[in-house]
Amino acid sequence: MSLKIIVLAKQVPDTRNVGKDAMKADGTVNRAVLPAIFNPEDLNALEQALQLKDQHPGSTVSLLTMGPPRAAEILREGLFRGADGGVLLTDRAFAGADTLATSYALACAIRKMGEYDIIIGGRQAIDGDTAQVGPQVAEKLHIPQVTYAEKIIKIENGKATIKRRLERGIEIVEAKTPLVVTVNGSADECRPRNAKLVQKYKYAKTVSESQNQDNDYLGSILDSRPYLKLNEWSVVDVDADLQQVGLSGSPTKVKSIENVVFQAKESKRLTGTDVEIDDLMKELIANHTIG
């Protein structure tokens, strides 16, 4: 049984390098000043999708990402690792979207993409840490959802068997397809780039990227190899309501952001003797740090 798999992926700012210019005056992230990376847990989700593709010959994996034009790099990265195609959802109208507006836009795009068996995404993005987009997409599409997945064990007879990693242990659940699955960072790491696929897709471009490069050679390559043309959709292309996307559709407003550095004002160094450890335990119990 072949599967049609959609992977939700996001290009995120590297939050390890947050500085004073990380936020704009309107409370949105200033992505221009931060390095962009593939959201880590979305890579775990991509690996689960590629494993399903390996198990079910004839299956296809399509990436869906929303962001500025440079987010097309996410699609290429997916192609380098084994995905079959993708869609970049980009439009100035999408800018400043919170989880509600983002999930609405993604749901509109998924409907345009057509039939699917499973939608897989990372549990959460490191720039927001909300873990809301995946579940909200499922609600807007009116399909089941399974969160905190560590392994998609199998899909057969219209049901997915999934291993979930929870705070106090694991559980195995079944859910009918189509469904949305969000994947933990404890899932298998994504496979590395494939050298042959890098060579095949290194010139893959969106319409905007190809137009911004005055290169006849690149143009001839794209014309002769249609598989190198990456899909790029706007608000109009996915029939989205302008009042439900971007800042207009985002009730969440960020007021400020600050970089907090923890410093040890007081410290105590132990040599490791039984007496010192015993005294420390009594102190921690007395001040209710433990116990």
Side-chain angles (χ1 to χ4, degrees):
M1 177 185 68
S2 62
L3 302 172
K4 292 184 179 179
I5 307 166
I6 296 175
V7 176
L8 303 179
K10 185 179 183 183
Q11 188 182 60
V12 295
D14 190 345
T15 52
R16 295 170 297 183
N17 297 286
V18 174
K20 62 180 181 179
D21 299 324
M23 297 295 293
K24 298 179 182 178
D26 62 2
T28 59
V29 177
N30 187 3
R31 299 180 184 276
V33 301
L34 294 171
I37 61 174
F38 202 120
N39 184 55
E41 289 187 340
D42 292 341
L43 280 172
N44 297 109
L46 175 59
E47 176 59 26
Q48 290 299 304
L50 294 175
Q51 289 182 14
L52 287 175
K53 179 183 175 182
D54 293 339
Q55 296 168 15
H56 299 270
S59 297
T60 58
V61 175
S62 300
L63 276 82
L64 173 60
T65 188
M66 187 177 86
R70 71 173 182 173
E73 187 60 37
I74 294 296
L75 302 184
R76 282 188 287 274
E77 192 64 42
L79 292 170
F80 295 160
R81 296 169 188 257
D84 301 284
V87 175
L88 169 62
L89 201 56
T90 186
D91 195 308
R92 289 187 180 276
F94 293 132
D98 68 358
T99 61
L100 194 67
T102 297
S103 61
Y104 169 75
L106 293 174
C108 290
I110 291 169
R111 291 189 185 98
K112 180 178 174 63
M113 293 173 76
E115 295 183 358
Y116 53 87
D117 295 290
I118 186 170
I119 300 168
I120 311 174
R123 175 187 53 139
Q124 62 188 34
I126 61 173
D127 58 347
D129 287 343
T130 64
Q132 293 175 354
V133 171
Q136 287 177 352
V137 167
E139 286 298 305
K140 288 179 171 62
L141 295 174
H142 307 294
I143 59 176
Q145 58 179 282
V146 175
T147 56
Y148 297 97
E150 188 172 70
K151 179 75 174 178
I152 302 175
I153 299 172
K154 64 180 180 179
I155 296 180
E156 61 182 17
N157 300 323
K159 288 185 178 180
T161 304
I162 299 166
K163 173 185 174 183
R164 303 179 74 216
R165 171 67 63 176
L166 306 175
E167 184 178 353
R168 298 181 182 274
I170 63 172
E171 67 178 18
I172 307 297
V173 300
E174 282 188 348
K176 292 182 179 180
T177 59
L179 80 161
V180 171
V181 177
T182 61
V183 179
N184 286 348
S186 60
D188 293 338
E189 291 186 7
C190 193
R191 62 196 65 184
R193 295 176 173 183
N194 180 291
K196 290 183 178 180
L197 293 176
V198 171
Q199 291 299 312
K200 179 179 180 179
Y201 290 111
K202 64 180 179 180
Y203 292 115
K205 302 288 182 184
T206 62
V207 173
S208 295
E209 288 179 313
S210 60
Q211 289 177 343
N212 290 335
Q213 294 185 358
D214 186 15
N215 189 323
D216 293 337
Y217 176 67
L218 176 61
S220 64
I221 291 178
L222 294 176
D223 289 338
S224 61
R225 304 174 191 175
Y227 61 86
L228 294 178
K229 295 181 179 180
L230 302 177
N231 293 312
E232 180 180 349
W233 293 347
S234 66
V235 169
V236 175
D237 292 324
V238 297
D239 297 323
D241 180 359
L242 285 172
Q243 297 303 311
Q244 296 188 59
V245 300
L247 285 174
S248 299
S250 302
T252 307
K253 307 298 179 187
V254 178
K255 297 300 182 183
S256 64
I257 184 172
E258 59 180 299
N259 192 16
V260 178
V261 179
F262 293 99
Q263 296 179 341
K265 295 182 179 180
E266 297 180 6
S267 62
K268 181 181 294 187
R269 182 168 294 180
L270 306 179
T271 60
T273 64
D274 291 342
V275 174
E276 287 181 332
I277 293 174
D278 186 56
D279 290 341
L280 177 62
M281 293 298 294
K282 291 178 181 178
E283 178 184 339
L284 294 175
I285 292 173
N287 62 22
H288 302 292
T289 301
I290 62 175

